[in-house]
Amino acid sequence: MPRSAKATGYLCALAATVIWSGNFIVARALADTVPPVTTSFLRWVTALVVILPFGLGAVRRDMPLLRANLTYFIMAGITGVSVFNTFIYIAGRTTEAINMALIASSSPVWIIILSRILLGEAVTLRRAAGVAVSLCGTLVLVTRGDFTRLASLRFAVGDLWMLAAALTFASYSVLLRKKPEGISALGSLTTTFAIGVVGILPMLAWEWGHGAQLAVTPAVVGAVLYIGIGASLLAYLCWSVAVERIGPAKSALVYYSLPLFSATEAALLLGETITLSHVASCALIVGGILIATMQRAPAAK
């Protein structure tokens, strides 16, 4: 593959990661005002409404292939849209934005493992070393530099929901590598979004049947527009390109930078404190990404 194509893949993975980092801030900010499943539903309805004028024609053109691969798109819609994002908003009710980003950073580990099991992708020594260094950075963040705290570390309910979300995202990313050929990006995304919205409906009915309420404010509208257009449409398009160009495992390594952006945004917007341990973890996470993704220059002939 040409270097320019690989560079585009890495840039798209980074762009998706930066946009998604803001999703954890929104999840935490809306936790007390908008029910979690409702947040997920509003997000994906917004994304679907925005993409439909552009994607409807593509869906019609791709309909024979979409019908032939309906099982794939049902799996992609349920994992990547219905379940993954709903779990994030449920997690935001009982855990902090930085915690969510930290747990989300475990997704690359699961992606690499699933890629090895399901796709047969090799786990090279360089890639394993990069993962190890990045994981050390995550541990520094979790323990705030004191590894003895691991012995007494306790997870909130929201942390467990976020772990489930990370596993779901890993499954979705590996599934993307098996995307059927001949289907346009617009047709694929529009179909995935539509199926995902339908998949949320049973959970939405349950939530509103148990007394959920929604207060519409300018802040809520702005947040929904951000997650509906940015974190959904733009980020998912970037991530699809990244997985196509560089594969799910390498895209996952770029995703390790997620805590860096989320921690910065949490400090600026939510007042969370950035400490020396955050700085150290940033260096380790970025260093791990570079180790795992940079290729050795060819020897001179």
Side-chain angles (χ1 to χ4, degrees):
M1 181 179 292
R3 289 187 176 182
S4 59
K6 289 185 177 180
T8 300
Y10 285 119
L11 288 174
C12 285
L14 181 61
T17 300
V18 171
I19 296 172
W20 276 329
S21 67
N23 189 38
F24 300 112
I25 308 302
V26 171
R28 186 61 180 164
L30 296 182
D32 297 328
T33 57
V34 183
V37 181
T38 301
T39 301
S40 183
F41 179 74
L42 291 175
R43 167 181 176 170
W44 290 107
V45 165
T46 301
L48 186 60
V49 168
V50 172
I51 200 175
L52 267 180
F54 309 97
L56 196 55
V59 169
R60 288 172 178 168
R61 290 190 296 270
D62 296 336
M63 186 57 69
L65 286 174
L66 291 172
R67 286 176 176 170
N69 295 279
L70 184 59
T71 300
Y72 167 87
F73 284 101
I74 290 175
M75 293 174 63
I78 296 300
T79 57
V81 175
S82 306
V83 176
F84 168 54
N85 294 278
T86 301
F87 283 2
I88 288 178
Y89 300 124
I90 294 174
R93 296 174 69 87
T94 54
T95 193
E96 295 181 352
I98 290 181
N99 279 22
M100 295 168 68
L102 290 173
I103 297 170
S105 69
S106 70
S107 288
V109 176
W110 304 116
I111 291 174
I112 290 173
I113 293 172
L114 291 177
S115 295
R116 173 60 182 170
I117 295 173
L118 301 177
L119 304 180
E121 289 194 0
V123 180
T124 64
L125 181 60
R126 179 182 291 268
R127 186 176 294 177
V131 168
V133 172
S134 292
L135 277 175
C136 286
T138 300
L139 286 176
V140 169
L141 275 171
V142 172
T143 63
R144 294 187 178 274
D146 181 7
F147 289 102
T148 60
R149 296 181 61 184
L150 287 173
S152 59
L153 193 62
R154 296 291 183 271
F155 288 97
V157 173
D159 295 332
L160 298 178
W161 278 107
M162 194 61 225
L163 180 59
L167 288 167
T168 305
F169 180 74
S171 301
Y172 170 74
S173 294
V174 173
L175 187 63
L176 279 181
R177 195 62 183 271
K178 291 295 186 179
K179 177 184 174 182
E181 296 182 359
I183 301 176
S184 65
L186 270 177
S188 177
L189 280 178
T190 304
T191 303
T192 302
F193 288 1
I195 291 174
V197 168
V198 173
I200 296 172
L201 290 177
M203 295 182 285
L204 183 70
W206 182 91
E207 184 174 79
W208 281 84
H210 285 72
Q213 295 182 348
L214 172 65
V216 179
T217 66
V220 169
V221 173
V224 169
L225 289 176
Y226 173 81
I227 59 178
I229 298 175
S232 300
L233 183 57
L234 297 181
Y236 271 67
L237 183 59
C238 287
W239 191 254
S240 296
V241 172
V243 171
E244 181 181 349
R245 297 290 180 88
I246 61 176
K250 291 181 178 178
S251 299
L253 291 166
V254 178
Y255 189 75
Y256 259 124
S257 62
L258 183 72
L260 312 184
F261 300 109
S262 292
T264 302
E265 293 162 3
L268 294 175
L269 301 176
L270 301 179
E272 297 182 9
T273 303
I274 296 180
T275 65
L276 183 60
S277 63
H278 289 113
V279 176
S281 69
C282 287
L284 288 169
I285 292 171
V286 172
I289 293 171
L290 293 177
I291 291 171
T293 58
M294 290 181 65
Q295 296 184 354
R296 187 177 302 173
K301 295 182 179 180

